[in-house]
Amino acid sequence: MIAILGTGKMGEALLSGLLRAGFKPGDVLATARRAERAEDLRERYGVQVVSNAEAAKTADTIILAVKPQDMASLLAEISAHVPDDRLVISAAAGITTSFVEARLGGDVPVVRVMSNTPVLVDEAMSVISAGAHATEEHLRRTEDLLKPVGKVLRIPESQQDAATALSGSGPAYFFYLVEAMVDAGILLGMPRAAALDMVTQSIVGAAIMLRDSGEHPVILREAVTSPGGTTIAAIAELERHSVRAAFLAAIEAARNRGRELAAG
């Protein structure tokens, strides 16, 4: 039995991914703060929606998917109901495994996870890190839950805040870029629908090339960049406006904000 505590946007994305991966609604418990949200989850997915305490008592694997600022109160609520044979997976940005372990007590195994919204289309990027009491078996169990909905990578926990900023928030940067490119198409006289189709397919194709070719992105970019051509003119403008530096600063700011949220 798996329980998702805090079935908001990311919790629901994980829930829907588990069901698509073959878990039955009866295998999954969910919790929600509001009664109308609970009813919506029951109707949409057919899962039981119970209290946090009941979910913690019942499930073998407990996924903590609340907002970082709500984690301390959730852990206080369930700590008496989580024995050492449970696997606890924390999916809240910035929350360390030691934070969870200290509030649950005992030797509860905790695995920290950061996933992202492409879990909705089974193309998530999930990164996982083991806490002090988590073993290879616990990491494998976590991977088995996440692999059906995307790629899973193990990293040291010291890199989790960076991963949150890079891949956890990454889809938003992508959508922001698409929005800007579509606006550029409209500026140049393209209908919005046509511009969106062209930009979307160009980026999907480029992403597949990058993933499947094994080439460094610089090599792939240079293959499109002819001397004196249109692409290098565009790249020169991007560099003139310090777009690369802006991305570096933006992702660093996301990392710092994640730490602030975790600190309360």
Side-chain angles (χ1 to χ4, degrees):
M1 181 71 73
I2 299 166
I4 300 175
L5 276 59
T7 316
K9 288 182 180 179
M10 182 51 69
E12 184 178 357
L14 291 169
L15 169 61
S16 65
L18 289 173
L19 297 178
R20 286 195 308 278
F23 287 88
K24 295 179 172 57
D27 298 329
V28 185
L29 298 174
T31 77
R33 182 177 295 176
R34 295 177 289 106
E36 58 269 28
R37 174 63 171 165
E39 186 59 31
D40 180 56
L41 291 170
R42 289 189 193 98
E43 290 182 1
R44 188 175 303 182
Y45 301 104
V47 298
Q48 294 184 69
V49 184
V50 298
S51 69
N52 290 325
E54 184 177 348
K57 288 178 191 175
T58 307
D60 303 309
T61 300
I62 302 166
I63 301 174
L64 309 177
V66 296
K67 295 177 180 177
Q69 54 268 39
D70 296 330
M71 184 64 81
S73 60
L74 173 65
L75 294 172
E77 183 180 352
I78 68 171
S79 61
H81 308 292
V82 183
D84 290 353
D85 63 350
R86 299 292 194 264
L87 169 59
V88 175
I89 299 172
S90 174
I95 298 296
T96 64
T97 56
S98 60
F99 181 98
V100 178
E101 290 161 353
R103 284 156 180 79
L104 291 180
D107 295 330
V108 176
V110 179
V111 175
R112 181 174 171 179
V113 171
M114 176 48 58
S115 193
N116 59 16
T117 53
V119 68
L120 291 167
V121 292
D122 300 334
E123 291 291 350
M125 180 68 248
S126 301
V127 292
I128 67 173
S129 304
H133 310 298
T135 65
E136 175 67 24
E137 177 197 353
H138 298 122
L139 287 170
R140 281 202 302 267
R141 282 171 59 186
T142 304
E143 287 173 334
D144 289 343
L145 285 176
L146 296 170
K147 279 181 179 177
V149 294
K151 185 172 183 175
V152 185
L153 181 67
R154 297 186 189 186
I155 63 171
E157 187 169 7
S158 61
Q159 297 174 7
Q160 275 279 356
D161 289 332
T164 298
L166 194 61
S167 65
S169 300
Y173 314 147
F174 165 81
F175 296 132
Y176 184 88
L177 175 62
V178 169
E179 181 186 358
M181 292 178 68
V182 170
D183 283 348
I186 294 168
L187 177 67
L188 300 179
M190 283 281 179
R192 180 176 295 277
L196 180 58
D197 276 348
M198 283 187 281
V199 172
T200 300
Q201 185 56 37
S202 294
I203 292 182
V204 169
I208 292 172
M209 282 181 67
L210 181 61
R211 184 191 65 190
D212 295 348
S213 70
E215 295 282 6
H216 192 281
V218 169
I219 301 299
L220 296 174
R221 180 183 61 76
E222 287 179 346
V224 190
T225 310
S226 304
T230 57
T231 305
I232 192 59
I235 296 294
E237 279 298 299
L238 292 173
E239 293 292 354
R240 187 172 71 85
H241 289 279
S242 302
V243 170
R244 186 189 304 267
F247 266 103
L248 293 173
I251 293 170
E252 186 176 31
R255 188 276 312 273
N256 294 343
R257 181 57 179 156
R259 290 177 175 175
E260 290 171 4
L261 288 172

